Amino acid sequence: MKRIVVQKFGGTTVGDPEKIKLVAKEISDLTDLGYSIVAVVSAMGEQTDDLIKLARSVSENPDSRELDMLVSVGERISISLLSMALKNLGKDAISFTGSQAGIITDCNHCDARILRITPGRIKESLESGKIAIIAGFQGVSEKKEITTLGRGGSDTSAVALACVLGAQFCDIFTDVDGVFCADPKLMEGTKLLSEIGYEEMMEMAYLGAKVMHPRAVEIASRYGLVVRVKNIDNYFKEKSGGKTTLIKNTPPSLEGVTVKGLTTDNEIILVSAYFETDDSLRFLRYLSENNVNAKNFSSEKSEKYFRLTLLLSSRQLNAAREAAKVFGCVRFEVSEDFSLVSLVGTGSGNSPEIMGRLFSILMNNGSKINMLSASEVKVSFLLEKEKASSVLKDLAYEFGLFEEE
Ligand code: ADP
Ligand code: ASP
Ligand code: MG
């Protein structure tokens, strides 16, 4: 059997027919080097956003099973087009939906987890010399329902397939050169990381660096799979692959503490729910049973009511509101005024020196923070949205995260 390579092509890399043809050429060249290719593909451009908007145009709160049925269409379009483009280059290719590829998930619509993969059809097609093109982001539940893995989930499809197929490597092709110290679209000039360990990458991804889906990093770390994040444009320019970031096991430093990256998450909300009785644990358990996990939680007794404050991802708002109603909530307030800002780096959250420097920057900016939490690998806090970009810039200077001139 030839060596297997899994390559994932993000939405922008297959954004229009011309780009799909370029991707097909890239895959075709790699097969000529003797590799068996499994290509995992996202929906073209912004198509998933457009499909979600379409759903909202008929229902304010679309049913999650039907939403999965709808958004999974985006990836069906891109896989079939890529397969056609490859055939046009004289290559034998075959496209598979998540279900056909044997990606079995739990039943949690719109945020399903992969339970197992039965890649029989993929293996058969590789053995018969075909290129396998797989729809990212989707699977099928044991009840035979179409599911999706959460926004950005094609990375997770690719990494999971690479692990079960024993792939030589897994390439994530996107629209930036790799993983930077901070989002290069928000902060120009930060350093490109040539490599990053699983734990730090996982934290960055969970805390808002959307270049990798967090669960993809989790799976890669369990299997020790090396993931290469690359810019599709560099790849076409220099066949060597250009710049890249390797996500892999990195040797731990002895005691040196560095800030590796900064992240901001603007898709969080702060919810305050007021109740007449204190039933917070039952309420939290109910939320978990409905797949709502608070990133932070506090409770306090005010004069008349018990107030629960929850930090949630904004897409969990409707579920949280419904749950609060079930528990007899008397007042439900939502604030969208904050960003969750985080410093990521092994040892950072335990370092008084780093914390001191962080607080100085915040003071110099006249910022107020809320809900600070620190661990071995990160420090996170809520910051007023309008202060986020200037604080982030100052933090990047302070911790040497900009490229030197
Ligand atoms: P794709 O469609 O290829 O999956 P995504 O939009 O999901 O692409 O992820 C790539 C984007 O991630 C980049 O365009 C960039 O704006 C954003 N991003 C956020 N944080 C980082 C970071 N630290 N390094 C690189 N990119 C980042
Ligand atoms: N198309 C899906 C999304 O936009 C999955 C992905 O791109 O990874 O979220
Ligand atoms: Mg993505």
Side-chain angles (χ1 to χ4, degrees):
M1 178 99 165
K2 290 181 188 170
R3 286 173 301 172
I4 298 175
V5 171
V6 174
Q7 298 198 306
K8 179 253 170 176
F9 297 94
T12 44
T13 71
V14 290
D16 60 47
E18 284 316 306
K19 287 187 176 160
I20 291 180
K21 286 197 236 165
L22 280 173
V23 165
K25 176 78 176 64
E26 195 281 301
I27 295 173
S28 158
D29 289 353
L30 203 56
T31 55
D32 292 343
L33 294 177
Y35 290 102
S36 282
I37 309 292
V38 175
V40 176
V41 190
S42 293
M44 293 169 72
E46 311 284 300
Q47 198 157 44
T48 309
D49 291 324
D50 295 342
L51 289 170
I52 292 172
K53 272 186 214 141
L54 188 60
R56 296 230 164 95
S57 68
V58 295
S59 162
E60 222 174 81
N61 188 15
D63 178 83
S64 56
R65 177 196 182 272
E66 302 307 332
L67 195 57
D68 274 351
M69 189 67 95
L70 178 70
V71 295
S72 62
V73 169
E75 272 71 12
R76 285 178 80 140
I77 294 173
S78 51
I79 54 168
S80 47
L81 291 176
L82 181 57
S83 189
M84 289 172 202
L86 275 159
K87 282 173 192 276
N88 204 40
L89 294 175
K91 297 289 173 185
D92 204 358
I94 177 165
S95 64
F96 294 115
T97 63
S99 163
Q100 290 173 319
I103 300 179
I104 317 295
T105 73
D106 62 21
C107 305
N108 185 19
H109 283 290
C110 299
D111 204 13
R113 280 187 168 254
I114 300 176
L115 298 176
R116 59 182 185 281
I117 301 182
T118 46
R121 288 195 73 183
I122 302 180
K123 283 187 177 161
E124 262 167 41
S125 53
L126 296 180
E127 274 155 20
S128 62
K130 294 191 172 90
I131 298 163
I133 317 280
I134 319 291
F137 168 62
Q138 55 178 263
V140 65
S141 73
E142 278 166 332
K143 290 184 184 157
K144 305 261 184 293
E145 297 288 1
I146 302 295
T147 54
T148 62
L149 309 181
R151 295 307 307 271
S154 299
D155 299 332
T156 296
S157 314
V159 168
L161 281 166
C163 291
V164 299
L165 293 167
Q168 194 86 4
F169 43 82
C170 178
D171 286 334
I172 303 287
F173 284 107
T174 185
D175 61 348
V176 290
D177 289 347
V179 181
F180 287 78
C181 294
D183 185 341
K185 291 200 183 137
L186 295 180
M187 226 191 317
E188 229 179 286
T190 58
K191 288 179 186 160
L192 174 68
L193 298 166
S194 58
E195 60 177 48
I196 181 167
Y198 295 118
E199 206 181 351
E200 288 175 326
M201 187 64 236
M202 221 164 347
E203 283 296 338
M204 284 186 70
Y206 273 115
L207 292 166
K210 75 167 183 163
V211 62
M212 279 299 291
H213 194 238
R215 279 158 37 208
V217 190
E218 216 175 287
I219 298 171
S221 136
R222 281 190 205 155
Y223 281 75
L225 175 82
V226 177
V227 177
R228 310 191 299 196
V229 184
K230 301 175 175 189
N231 191 330
I232 193 95
D233 295 337
N234 292 342
Y235 197 83
F236 292 132
K237 273 184 246 148
E238 317 156 33
K239 273 300 181 193
S240 65
K243 299 168 186 166
T244 178
T245 298
L246 299 184
I247 303 171
K248 62 198 248 302
N249 244 331
T250 51
S253 69
L254 289 174
E255 279 204 302
V257 176
T258 46
V259 174
K260 198 61 162 277
L262 298 172
T263 61
T264 30
D265 186 347
N266 291 322
E267 283 163 27
I268 47 114
I269 47 169
L270 202 57
V271 163
S272 298
Y274 297 77
F275 299 91
E276 277 168 354
T277 51
D278 181 11
D279 213 0
S280 50
L281 286 177
R282 274 202 330 126
F283 178 61
L284 287 175
R285 187 180 63 184
Y286 185 85
L287 284 178
S288 306
E289 285 163 359
N290 286 282
N291 297 306
V292 176
N293 274 331
K295 294 172 195 277
N296 206 313
F297 157 79
S298 64
S299 106
E300 64 181 352
K301 167 106 177 68
S302 66
E303 256 174 41
K304 213 166 150 200
Y305 298 117
F306 289 93
R307 183 172 76 167
L308 305 191
T309 308
L310 300 148
L311 182 64
L312 298 174
S313 136
S314 50
R315 67 191 154 74
Q316 297 175 322
L317 176 60
N318 287 331
R321 200 192 293 277
E322 290 308 310
K325 268 191 214 152
V326 172
F327 280 75
C329 176
V330 285
R331 203 157 93 217
F332 189 86
E333 294 166 350
V334 182
S335 166
E336 295 181 354
D337 301 340
F338 301 98
S339 293
L340 181 69
V341 174
S342 309
L343 277 63
V344 176
T346 306
S348 56
N350 288 340
S351 161
E353 185 232 313
I354 288 189
M355 297 297 253
R357 286 162 73 187
L358 162 66
F359 294 136
S360 300
I361 299 282
L362 291 168
M363 279 159 60
N364 293 345
N365 271 276
S367 317
K368 287 202 190 79
I369 62 161
N370 209 330
M371 285 196 169
L372 180 123
S373 72
S375 74
E376 163 68 10
V377 206
K378 57 107 192 182
V379 187
S380 296
F381 50 89
L382 290 184
L383 183 71
E384 310 107 292
K385 262 189 187 145
E386 73 264 22
K387 292 267 183 199
S389 81
S390 74
V391 166
L392 239 75
K393 204 163 166 204
D394 289 356
L395 286 171
Y397 272 118
E398 174 66 25
F399 292 106
L401 306 184
F402 280 113
E403 216 42 275
E404 274 138 41
E405 300 274 302

